[in-house]
Amino acid sequence: MRILFANPNTSEAMAGVMAAEARRIAAPDTVIDVCSAPFGSAYIATRGEAAVAGHALLSALARHYDGHDVVIVGAFIVPAVTAAAKEMCPVPLIATGEAGLAAASLLGQALSILSIGAPARRMTEETVAATGLSDRVVSIRDVGLTGTELTEDQPRGDAAAIALSLAAVQEDRADVIVLGAGSMEGMAARIQPEVPVPMVSPVGAAVCMAEMIHRLGLPKASAGGLARPSGIAMTGLDPSLTRFFRGD
């Protein structure tokens, strides 16, 4: 099968971190192609950045989705970035945030999320609510590092994540830890021996779920709330996105 891994920000370094984790997890016969947002911010932490990222994601999908069986969006803050893309994409689309939380919900009753903190924290809470898991998330603990810092200084990020995970287990009675940012990908494999409960990689979970969707032959819905609309007239967009909305 062929997966398109769409990074909704412009950071090639972050795309590389997430792509490495995706390819580490993927089955041998799964091909993973990667694209990043053609415009926007290097990291998504505010509502304004998320709004632009949603537009940039649509542009990336318009250019690259063809020939792929499933699309994975490397975004933990799901509703703010991926709502329109999930509707418009002609093939099944899943976001890493929703995949990570879904996987974690199978491993334990009480979930704790490691987050980059304010201002993205509120959008993380909205992602939890959108997945219906508000009553299962016992804590969201902030690592206090930006996405760029986590990508560029992995030892520092790992140390912070270990300390926070142990606190979540001891103080919040968490059964599972979920990594709440794409810049944390790869961390679970490195620090799991130091943490006594499962640590879920949202990218890894998304890859496994994408492979499951393909293996089960599940299509994109053609009816209901996520059915792809067509014939939408747009002006001022790049030509590929205009055609994408028109349904050409």
Side-chain angles (χ1 to χ4, degrees), residues 8 44 46-55 57-58 73-88 93-99 101 113 120-134 140 180 226:
I44 303 165
T46 68
R47 295 187 188 283
E49 289 166 336
V52 173
H55 178 183
L57 175 59
L58 289 174
V73 179
F76 196 89
I77 48 176
V78 177
V81 176
T82 63
K86 192 178 280 283
E87 175 190 67
M88 290 298 299
L93 179 149
I94 57 178
T96 55
E98 61 188 350
L101 288 167
I113 300 171
R121 183 187 178 96
R122 180 61 67 185
M123 290 188 285
T124 297
E125 293 169 349
E126 291 169 357
T127 293
V128 171
T131 57
L133 292 170
S134 295
I140 300 175
L226 290 178

Side-chain angles (χ1 to χ4, degrees), residues 189-237:
R190 295 192 301 270
I191 71 174
Q192 180 66 84
E194 307 299 322
V195 179
V197 299
M199 297 197 73
V200 175
S201 155
V203 166
V207 169
C208 292
M209 291 179 186
E211 291 175 336
M212 176 194 71
I213 287 169
H214 180 66
R215 184 175 178 183
L216 292 175
L218 301 177
K220 165 68 186 283
S222 58
L226 290 178
R228 183 174 188 264
S230 61
I232 301 174
M234 290 284 184
T235 59
L237 302 180

Side-chain angles (χ1 to χ4, degrees), residues 4-248:
L4 175 64
F5 193 99
N7 171 32
N9 63 55
T10 60
S11 171
E12 293 301 332
M14 196 173 300
V17 168
M18 293 190 289
E21 179 69 3
R23 290 176 175 136
R24 184 181 75 85
I25 295 295
D29 59 346
T30 296
V31 175
I32 297 178
D33 299 315
V34 181
C35 67
S36 290
F39 55 86
S41 61
Y43 192 76
I44 303 165
T46 68
R47 295 187 188 283
E49 289 166 336
V52 173
H55 178 183
L57 175 59
L58 289 174
S59 290
L61 292 179
R63 298 175 187 180
H64 301 291
Y65 87 88
D66 195 27
H68 295 91
D69 302 297
V70 182
V71 171
I72 294 174
V73 179
F76 196 89
I77 48 176
V78 177
V81 176
T82 63
K86 192 178 280 283
E87 175 190 67
M88 290 298 299
C89 189
V91 299
L93 179 149
I94 57 178
T96 55
E98 61 188 350
L101 288 167
S105 72
L106 302 177
L107 294 170
Q109 184 65 27
L111 318 180
S112 181
I113 300 171
L114 301 188
S115 170
I116 60 168
R121 183 187 178 96
R122 180 61 67 185
M123 290 188 285
T124 297
E125 293 169 349
E126 291 169 357
T127 293
V128 171
T131 57
L133 292 170
S134 295
D135 62 340
R136 303 273 298 276
V137 174
V138 295
S139 64
I140 300 175
R141 288 183 171 262
D142 302 336
V143 297
L145 300 172
T146 67
T148 300
E149 289 170 336
L150 286 165
T151 301
E152 295 179 350
D153 192 351
Q154 289 183 345
R156 183 183 175 196
D158 289 357
I162 291 170
L164 290 175
S165 297
L166 293 177
V169 172
Q170 294 163 4
E171 299 170 16
D172 308 326
R173 302 181 67 183
D175 301 318
V176 189
I177 307 295
V178 183
L179 302 180
S183 50
M184 297 180 190
E185 287 299 336
M187 182 183 284
R190 295 192 301 270
I191 71 174
Q192 180 66 84
E194 307 299 322
V195 179
V197 299
M199 297 197 73
V200 175
S201 155
V203 166
V207 169
C208 292
M209 291 179 186
E211 291 175 336
M212 176 194 71
I213 287 169
H214 180 66
R215 184 175 178 183
L216 292 175
L218 301 177
K220 165 68 186 283
S222 58
L226 290 178
R228 183 174 188 264
S230 61
I232 301 174
M234 290 284 184
T235 59
L237 302 180
D238 68 76
S240 61
L241 189 51
T242 298
R243 291 191 296 270
F244 191 63
F245 273 101
R246 200 165 54 223
D248 292 359

